[in-house]
Amino acid sequence: MMEERQDSHRALRFGVLSHNTSSDFSILLAQAQRAEQLGYATFLLPDHIGDQFATTLALAHIAAATTSLRVGSYVFSNDFRHPVMLAREVATLDVLSGGRFELGLGAGWMASEYQQCGIPFASPGVRIERLAESLQIIKALLAGERLSFSGQHYKIEGLALALQPQQRPYPPILVGGSGKRLLSLAAREASIVGFSPRTQTISVAGHMNQSLDLQDALAPALAEKIQWVRQAAGPRFSSLELNLIVLEVIRTESRQQALAEVATRYGLSEEQVASTPYFLIGNTEEIGAQLLRYRQQYQISYWVVWEEYMEALAPVVALLRGQ
């Protein structure tokens, strides 16, 4: 039997993150409509160049083709848009979706995209400083302020947006990452704090590739990150929604065998795989119990899976949605 929800916990909700790499937009629409049918709360698109539909335009069409599904960016790269222009797009998307938009915004991390676009890839500290200023600007404009702002990276003189979002004072804002500085910023400024493992750059045949640092996905690392957020958020911690994107979902009646296979594939121990929220492995009841336990342990209530795991997690979503 599933354990009962405690009043102090947020209700669980679930999202689907599409790779958005199909050249057929009808496939993307079908994914979103299927996510809504299965009871997922959000449908999210990443923001990379080269092989994806433009995030804002695609989300507008997806919102028009659904009725209750929330749509969001996961996440916009701050350096690719001026915050004033992004604020206007956010307001537009929120109006067009009937108040169903969620803004995911990040400091930018894929160095190759910066290089391809001819944009200097600044240090993490500088990129996070720019993101902090952008958040101030975007929140003020969406809240209806006439803004004058003078920062290190942006200057605004007496600007107000006539178009305002439907959600007040602004749509939910997700900021996430893996490092202490970025997560601390999210804790202070965002509505939703997202957790993801750190990426590491490795050289393969003379080319620089980025991969996940799996040690940063293990339970001790996540517990430390939660503590960073708690400390930076202070009294507002209880108002934050904590989010995590899952690496793999394996719904099976042979949990121990699946744990062993995943452990071998990733070079981890079975205990490490079994204790990290980034892997959801077991039958419907077992995964449901894991998610309730992780909410109790970490306060994580908003779970996102990649499109290829949407169907696998669907029975768990039906079991737990709203609990």
Side-chain angles (χ1 to χ4, degrees):
M1 180 178 292
M2 305 304 296
E3 61 186 82
E4 293 184 2
R5 174 189 168 194
Q6 295 184 13
D7 289 342
S8 60
H9 289 145
R10 279 182 172 270
L12 294 171
R13 67 175 185 142
F14 301 88
V16 173
L17 176 57
S18 173
H19 293 287
N20 185 21
T21 53
S22 172
S23 59
D24 184 350
F25 192 72
S26 66
I27 294 176
L28 196 60
L29 282 180
Q31 284 179 356
Q33 291 168 333
R34 180 59 175 162
E36 183 173 57
Q37 182 183 40
L38 292 173
Y40 285 90
T42 58
F43 190 79
L44 309 165
L45 294 183
D47 184 40
H48 296 293
I49 57 173
D51 62 349
Q52 297 182 351
F53 287 105
T55 306
T56 53
L57 294 173
L59 288 173
H61 280 276
I62 289 167
T66 55
T67 55
S68 61
L69 190 70
R70 297 181 67 80
V71 297
S73 52
Y74 204 97
V75 295
F76 288 128
S77 176
N78 178 62
D79 288 337
F80 293 164
R81 294 170 183 82
H82 191 282
V84 170
M85 306 307 292
L86 182 57
R88 186 179 65 169
E89 292 188 4
V90 168
T92 301
L93 276 170
D94 199 53
V95 170
L96 293 179
S97 67
R100 289 186 283 139
F101 179 67
E102 297 184 4
L103 169 62
L105 186 60
W109 63 273
M110 191 173 287
S112 60
E113 290 188 332
Y114 282 74
Q115 182 180 13
Q116 290 167 341
C117 294
I119 299 173
F121 188 61
S123 68
V126 170
R127 283 181 279 123
I128 293 170
E129 285 176 1
R130 280 200 290 257
L131 175 60
E133 290 189 10
S134 286
L135 285 167
Q136 292 183 58
I137 293 166
I138 290 168
K139 289 166 69 173
L141 291 175
L142 294 179
E145 295 182 24
R146 179 170 297 279
L147 180 65
S148 292
F149 178 89
S150 181
Q152 289 292 110
H153 307 282
Y154 302 105
K155 295 188 185 302
I156 313 295
E157 295 184 6
L159 176 69
L161 291 182
L163 178 65
Q164 290 291 290
Q166 184 168 320
Q167 297 176 92
R168 306 304 300 162
Y170 39 74
I173 298 174
L174 180 148
V175 175
S178 58
K180 184 175 183 179
R181 187 169 181 180
L182 185 53
L183 287 171
S184 296
L185 173 64
R188 294 189 300 268
E189 299 294 340
S191 317
I192 308 165
V193 179
F195 297 93
S196 60
R198 182 172 53 234
T199 58
Q200 54 190 357
T201 303
I202 58 175
S203 178
V204 179
H207 297 282
M208 302 307 290
N209 294 310
Q210 290 175 312
S211 63
L212 292 178
D213 177 357
L214 288 173
Q215 293 299 311
D216 199 50
L218 301 183
L222 180 59
E224 182 179 41
K225 294 170 197 277
I226 299 289
Q227 189 59 27
W228 292 342
V229 171
R230 186 184 293 274
Q231 291 173 346
R236 75 187 304 265
F237 181 78
S238 61
S239 70
L240 295 175
E241 184 175 39
L242 303 190
N243 158 270
L244 185 141
I245 180 167
V246 177
L247 296 179
E248 286 197 34
V249 177
I250 302 176
R251 194 162 53 83
T252 175
E253 295 296 332
S254 303
R255 184 170 188 259
Q256 205 58 46
Q257 179 182 342
L259 286 172
E261 292 172 354
V262 171
T264 299
R265 180 151 39 92
Y266 284 94
L268 301 170
S269 71
E270 291 181 33
E271 182 180 358
Q272 287 173 320
V273 174
S275 63
T276 175
Y278 289 100
F279 296 105
L280 299 179
I281 301 172
N283 61 31
T284 299
E285 288 283 335
E286 288 170 333
I287 293 176
Q290 290 171 51
L291 291 172
L292 290 173
R293 185 172 68 252
Y294 293 142
R295 182 178 63 182
Q296 174 71 28
Q297 183 177 1
Y298 300 114
Q299 282 72 55
I300 295 171
S301 60
Y302 179 20
W303 299 83
V304 171
V305 295
W306 286 99
E307 62 185 61
E308 58 264 36
Y309 301 118
M310 174 171 64
E311 297 288 344
L313 194 66
V316 182
V317 174
L319 180 68
L320 292 182
R321 186 178 51 172
Q323 284 198 39

